[in-house]
Amino acid sequence: MDHKVVITAALTGAATRKEQNPNVPYTKEEFVAEAVKCYENGAAVVHLHARDPKTGMPTPDIEIAAGIVEGIRERCPILINVSTAIGVGVTKEQRIAPIAAIKPDMASLNTGTMNFSLADHKTGEIIFDFVFENTFDQIRKYAKIMTENGVKPELECYDIGHIHNILLLQKKGILEEPLHFNFVFGVAGGIRFLMDYIVAMKNSIPKDATWCTCGVGPNSFQANMAAIVMGGHLRVGLEDNLYIRGKELAKGSWEQVAKAADMARMLDRELATPDEARIILNLPTKKADSPYGVSGD
Ligand code: KMH
Ligand code: ZN
């Protein structure tokens, strides 16, 4: 199973909007249809930030998030990874609340406080300036809640120092091992994609850890191609990249999943099913018992 690749589809994120790409889902029906298409094209995991269906803004509303999770679980066995970043203006308590309420298969766990901004890399203009707070105390508390609820954390690392934050906290055993990391490239305030950096990040994590990678905009498929070669897993989706190639808009996150799947197959890495992903990513053997259904049942 070692050679198999797990593809995650990140459908929305906190920032992308229909004005930029009309295929960003806002309603439950749009989320479910998009998740099913991602599954059909090879994704084993879907990463979710719920949106207010009327405004399209990210929302901490648990009923909305739960409705989306339930709708996806009714239609396909894809594993569900819920964001604990959600969006700008969401409180620390609101960010973690869906974990105990929904008990998704996985959740993002952000690993350091940082500038999390939007910039024009050509001109150096900072378009949107924002501090993303993830203190050690907060990371520890979120990790505890995830562990108690049987939810596998995906450790979002936007720089190599974030890996060291986790290794420091892990001296006290805050997380069940093996750990699972996501190396994120291209956030203004984080590391940009370079082969040297991804090699350094991979070499910094424990030998038994699993990892995937995603990148903002043009960093997306570059990082994923490197991960295919280096034995990592992939994340694509309209959350971080609106395009399929150049300035051509993607028809949906599913089209990026299909492209990533082709890239992986080209290098003889087969795609993991959700059941296989559960094993590869070392999800808890006992599936979280969620009132909103269980993936794969
Ligand atoms: N959009 C990614 C760069 C999270 O949801 O916790 C960040 C992300 C964080 O996916
Ligand atoms: Zn996210």
Side-chain angles (χ1 to χ4, degrees), residues 10 13-14 47 49 83 85 108 235 239:
H47 170 75
H49 297 235
S83 171
S108 63
R235 186 178 115 172
E239 167 159 348

Side-chain angles (χ1 to χ4, degrees), residues 23-70:
N23 301 307
V24 175
Y26 287 175
T27 66
K28 172 179 168 176
E29 292 69 30
E30 289 171 339
F31 270 97
V32 173
E34 188 66 6
V36 171
K37 277 199 208 161
C38 288
Y39 168 68
E40 289 169 350
N41 281 281
V45 183
V46 67
H47 170 75
L48 299 172
H49 297 235
R51 295 289 180 98
D52 178 320
K54 293 203 185 72
T55 63
M57 295 301 286
T59 174
D61 186 316
I62 291 179
E63 288 306 308
I64 293 179
I68 294 168
V69 170
E70 199 170 30

Side-chain angles (χ1 to χ4, degrees), residues 138-242:
Q138 201 176 337
I139 297 167
R140 232 180 350 231
K141 284 184 177 143
Y142 284 16
K144 184 165 184 286
I145 292 169
M146 289 180 195
T147 305
E148 284 169 358
N149 286 282
V151 175
K152 176 81 182 182
E154 179 175 272
L155 302 162
E156 312 294 325
C157 297
Y158 304 82
D159 218 323
I160 197 161
H162 293 164
I163 296 172
H164 298 128
N165 288 351
I166 289 301
L167 298 182
L168 177 63
L169 289 174
Q170 190 59 4
K171 299 244 183 236
K172 296 239 186 241
I174 66 160
L175 292 160
E176 280 175 14
E177 296 179 0
L179 306 177
H180 175 60
F181 292 84
N182 181 19
F183 307 150
V184 184
F185 295 97
V187 171
I191 205 164
R192 301 202 69 199
F193 178 74
L194 263 190
M195 279 307 296
D196 288 349
Y197 299 157
I198 195 167
V199 169
M201 290 177 96
K202 178 183 182 297
N203 288 340
S204 300
I205 63 175
K207 288 276 171 290
D208 65 348
T210 52
W211 61 281
C212 73
T213 186
C214 69
V216 175
N219 286 195
S220 170
F221 289 115
Q222 294 171 359
N224 281 315
M225 185 57 104
I228 294 168
V229 177
M230 292 165 65
H233 302 283
L234 319 179
R235 186 178 115 172
V236 292
L238 299 187
E239 167 159 348
D240 299 310
N241 179 24
L242 299 164

